[in-house]
Amino acid sequence: MRAIIEKEFKSLFKSFKSIAVILFFLIVSFASSKFFSNNLELLQQDQGESVYASSIRALVMFFGSLFVLSLSHDVINREVENQTIRFLVTKSSRNAIVIGKFLGVFLFWFVCVLSSFTVIALFAGQLFVFDFLKMICFLAYAIGVTILLSLVVKKPSHTTFIAILLGIAIPVLGIWSITSKQFVLKIVKYVLPYYYIMKGSYYTFVPACFAALMLLIALAVFKRRDL
């Protein structure tokens, strides 16, 4: 499994799109930290949550799903289409392949978000551990959706289109459902991660539980899959 994690992690760092996303995160972190450092009066108006971390929170919650889905929508069906999956199943179990892919993608985003929070911590002179955990739990949910999508849809060309649609729909529906009183959207509210991230406290870890559930479903789907 370790080899699969390393391969997925390194392959993401070799992609031009991934490097562009990392640079985008770092630039936003640096620019927002610089801005708030020069406008300390905004910090005095802060009612609890850190203003320094607000840019990263907004970036992840609005674009996190789109970034994760766009970069990794074909993380498994690409291996099936290229038939490299047959080589992998001779070296590892099917469970190890799915979990390894999940952890490889998760490690990439862990490093990306950790780098951004390190930048703002240097400017603010303090750590934002709970904000960091919130974003990691949110991204774990998005990675769970991505792994499941890559297993359920066989063609990478199809997941490209679906990934973009989901990446746009998830934040729109997630934020809309929090304030809506429509019955359908009330259900959506409890399925998507936004409600739990906004409530904070121990609710923060609910999206990570959803990610674990999606991973279990993905394992069951992959066991029944003809390769």
Side-chain angles (χ1 to χ4, degrees), residues 95-215:
N95 286 352
I97 292 171
V98 174
I99 296 171
K101 291 285 187 181
F102 179 92
L103 293 178
V105 177
F106 179 81
L107 187 59
F108 169 80
W109 285 103
F110 184 90
V111 172
C112 181
V113 175
L114 181 63
S115 303
S116 300
F117 272 89
T118 301
V119 170
I120 61 174
L122 290 174
F123 275 92
Q126 67 179 98
L127 298 175
F128 303 98
V129 177
F130 194 61
D131 286 297
F132 174 74
L133 288 175
K134 277 185 175 181
M135 298 303 100
I136 287 299
C137 290
F138 182 92
L139 289 170
Y141 180 99
I143 295 167
V145 173
T146 305
I147 295 290
L148 202 52
L149 174 67
S150 188
L151 273 169
V152 173
V153 182
K154 295 181 180 179
K155 294 284 186 181
S157 56
H158 295 168
T159 50
T160 302
F161 177 69
I162 297 171
I164 294 172
L165 285 182
L166 284 177
I168 296 171
I170 287 175
V172 171
L173 289 175
I175 294 169
W176 184 16
S177 64
I178 292 175
T179 56
S180 176
K181 294 182 180 178
Q182 295 182 31
F183 177 71
V184 174
L185 287 174
K186 281 184 178 178
I187 297 173
V188 170
K189 178 175 76 173
Y190 294 112
V191 175
L192 296 179
Y194 292 86
Y195 169 72
Y196 306 105
I197 295 296
M198 297 295 284
K199 278 190 77 75
S201 185
Y202 58 85
Y203 288 96
T204 297
F205 301 100
V206 173
C209 296
F210 273 109
L213 178 62
M214 286 186 276
L215 190 56

Side-chain angles (χ1 to χ4, degrees), residues 12-24 67 69-74 108-109 160:
L12 276 170
F13 269 103
K14 292 176 183 175
S15 162
F16 170 77
K17 289 187 291 186
S18 302
I19 294 171
V21 169
I22 293 172
L23 288 175
F24 184 54
F67 287 155
L69 282 159
S70 300
L71 293 179
S72 303
H73 64 88
D74 57 353
F108 169 80
W109 285 103
T160 302

